[in-house]
Amino acid sequence: MKKILFVVTSHDQKGNTGEKTGYYLGEVSHPWDVLHSAGYEIDFVSPKGGKAPVDGFDLNDPINKKFWDDPTYRNKVENTLKPSEVNPKDYVAVHYAGGHGTMWDFADNSEIAEIARKIYENNGVVSAVCHGPAGLVNIKLGNGKYLVDGKNVNAFTNEEEVAVGLDKVVPFLLESVLIERGAKFEKSDLWQKHVAVDERLVTGQNPQSAQGVGEAVLQQIKKIENQSDQIKKPKGSHIVNPLIATKDTRALIEFLKKVFDATEDKNALAISQTDGKVFNSSVTIGDTSMIIFDRKDGWKHTPSLLQVYVNNIDEKLEKATSLGASVVTKPTDFYGGKLARFIDPQGNLWWMFELEEYDDADWESTEEDSEENAEWSLDNGPNMTYIHNSLVDAMQKLNEFE
């Protein structure tokens, strides 16, 4: 059975107020009800392990009562695992439940942060609700960036903290720190349901959002299970990956390093013992890996055609030409950005796109759009004519390479 890991606090005091706290029962029970009912087993971990303190104890809530009266899960939450007892490979998702206690023992717990990172980078889902996102603020991915950086996120808001009179008690304001970490913070009015979903990260604003977080996590898990992305593949690879057969692999790799800041996997380099040619190398540009190898004697030149999204398209093109590339298409306005093309010294044709403004909706077509695009012609303006004709010319030039 596939499992999901719930993280709950071990902390039971609201600063120096003398008031008790812990994990908020509804922020465990409501996601648990959604996910357990869907057939997933739930395990519990806390920073210290053992019995987790509970807050928001309201058994008039039927879901709370259902959870609390379940002997298996009552035993689990009162005997939580220690982080050292958790194997991240066992879980398809991790959920940080809220409650004010999390503000004192989630953020700096590196063991649980590492568990969450491994689950996420193994194509799993990370979720958190209310104060649970305190556990997200210091999670860094393998690329060195914070998990929340650049993602749509929400949590218990600064206004809600002020409303409960604890803004001067908690060690930090969750909304503010998430923004400092690069999160695109979303929020609704006080106590309104709000769930944000971005790249397998699910967050909810408050207790009212707990069920919605559970439902969104379930949707994300099902989406992953249904995607072809579940095919086993090396990190950095996609289902379809470019391969380049070229005259001089080493020279092309150096070119790509200088133009696109490509990185080479030295462990992937393989050289033939008979002719000294490279028959395998792996280079990564951005989030995509490609295989580059030398053509054997007698093989005809076979150009690769590749598309790359970039920033600073003019600088990239200038750098490429300084290293021997030939310009095919000068930077030209094209659908909300710029397009440029060049042929590298090895005879491969590169498309570069720099998007100035990006909105997913701009790239979603309707049936009417498809019919309209089918009637496209070179009469759409001089830019389109130039883009088309320069490509035709380039395809002829590729025949000149040996």
Side-chain angles (χ1 to χ4, degrees):
M1 179 183 291
K2 294 181 178 179
K3 299 199 293 184
I4 297 171
L5 185 65
F6 274 34
V7 186
V8 291
T9 182
S10 298
H11 190 84
D12 67 354
Q13 297 287 328
K14 293 180 181 177
N16 297 320
T17 64
E19 297 179 16
K20 292 288 187 179
T21 187
Y23 71 87
Y24 203 83
L25 181 57
E27 294 167 19
V28 166
S29 67
H30 284 261
W32 165 84
D33 186 53
V34 172
L35 299 167
H36 179 58
S37 298
Y40 293 90
E41 181 181 351
I42 312 296
D43 287 342
F44 290 84
V45 65
S46 64
K48 294 181 179 180
K51 187 173 182 177
V54 61
D55 197 4
F57 192 76
D58 177 13
L59 296 187
N60 290 321
D61 179 331
I63 303 300
N64 282 354
K65 182 172 174 55
K66 178 181 177 181
F67 172 81
W68 199 250
D69 289 345
D70 186 303
T72 298
Y73 282 97
R74 173 82 171 273
N75 180 65
K76 284 191 174 190
V77 80
E78 293 188 344
N79 295 276
T80 64
L81 298 169
K82 295 178 180 178
S84 61
E85 297 173 315
V86 173
N87 183 353
K89 294 181 180 179
D90 293 339
Y91 302 95
V92 297
V94 56
H95 170 68
Y96 286 85
H100 269 94
T102 66
M103 297 295 288
W104 280 268
D105 68 353
F106 270 15
D108 294 326
N109 192 288
S110 58
E111 288 182 283
I112 298 179
E114 180 66 5
I115 290 168
R117 180 192 70 78
K118 289 180 177 178
I119 291 173
Y120 185 81
E121 293 195 332
N122 195 35
N123 209 32
V125 178
V126 174
S127 68
V129 64
C130 198
H131 289 91
L136 308 181
V137 298
N138 287 323
I139 296 177
K140 282 190 174 182
L141 302 178
N143 61 10
K145 293 185 177 181
Y146 286 107
L147 169 64
V148 299
D149 187 12
K151 295 186 179 68
N152 296 314
V153 172
N154 73 354
F156 203 67
T157 67
N158 290 351
E159 292 86 353
E160 286 171 321
E161 205 68 82
V162 170
V164 297
L166 293 174
D167 56 304
K168 305 299 184 184
V169 175
V170 292
F172 60 92
L173 291 176
L174 188 48
E175 174 185 338
S176 297
V177 173
L178 287 167
I179 292 171
E180 288 175 7
R181 297 292 191 261
K184 298 176 181 177
F185 196 85
E186 302 179 357
K187 58 183 173 182
S188 295
D189 291 338
L190 300 178
W191 325 126
Q192 299 301 304
K193 298 177 182 178
H194 192 129
V195 176
V197 181
D198 197 335
E199 294 184 26
R200 294 179 287 110
L201 177 62
V202 179
T203 47
Q205 182 169 320
N206 44 37
Q208 291 80 2
S209 308
Q211 179 177 335
V213 167
E215 292 168 347
V217 169
L218 181 59
Q219 290 176 357
Q220 289 296 300
I221 294 173
K222 294 299 184 184
K223 180 180 178 181
I224 293 168
E225 290 175 347
N226 292 332
Q227 283 177 344
S228 59
D229 228 15
Q230 288 302 289
I231 296 172
K232 296 187 185 305
K233 55 184 178 58
K235 184 178 180 181
S237 296
H238 297 277
I239 300 303
V240 179
N241 300 279
L243 281 78
I244 304 177
T246 191
K247 184 177 181 179
D248 188 339
T249 293
R250 294 179 181 85
L252 181 57
I253 290 174
E254 291 306 310
F255 175 86
L256 297 177
K257 286 180 179 179
K258 293 174 181 177
V259 176
F260 295 119
D261 298 318
T263 57
E264 180 185 0
D265 180 359
K266 298 288 188 179
N267 294 324
L269 181 65
I271 300 175
S272 171
Q273 297 297 314
T274 57
D275 59 13
K277 291 184 179 293
V278 175
F279 65 84
N280 188 80
S281 70
S282 179
V283 173
T284 299
I285 298 176
D287 61 357
T288 301
S289 295
M290 63 183 71
I291 301 297
I292 306 176
F293 56 95
D294 288 337
R295 297 196 307 270
K296 294 291 186 180
D297 294 338
W299 289 10
K300 292 184 177 181
H301 171 64
T302 305
S304 294
L305 281 63
L306 303 112
Q307 174 182 303
V308 185
Y309 287 97
V310 300
N311 293 324
N312 304 316
I313 194 168
D314 297 278
E315 292 180 13
K316 298 289 186 188
L317 189 60
E318 182 179 354
K319 185 66 175 178
T321 55
S322 73
L323 296 169
S326 58
V327 176
V328 169
T329 308
K330 296 178 182 178
T332 306
D333 291 340
F334 183 79
Y335 289 116
K338 289 183 178 180
L339 161 71
R341 302 188 188 99
F342 67 81
I343 298 174
D344 69 39
Q346 303 287 320
N348 302 293
L349 178 57
W350 295 81
W351 272 254
M352 294 193 299
F353 285 98
E354 179 177 7
L355 298 179
E356 295 175 354
E357 296 182 3
Y358 176 75
D359 187 335
D360 283 328
D362 293 339
W363 296 80
E364 295 173 357
S365 60
T366 64
E367 186 174 343
E368 291 79 7
D369 292 332
S370 298
E371 293 175 356
E372 182 179 335
N373 290 337
E375 299 174 359
W376 181 88
S377 74
L378 295 182
D379 295 333
N380 285 32
N383 283 357
M384 288 299 185
T385 301
Y386 170 62
I387 288 170
H388 173 269
N389 290 346
S390 62
L391 175 60
V392 173
D393 292 341
M395 297 304 291
Q396 293 295 325
K397 290 179 182 178
L398 292 176
N399 293 326
E400 300 173 5
F401 284 84
E402 296 180 356

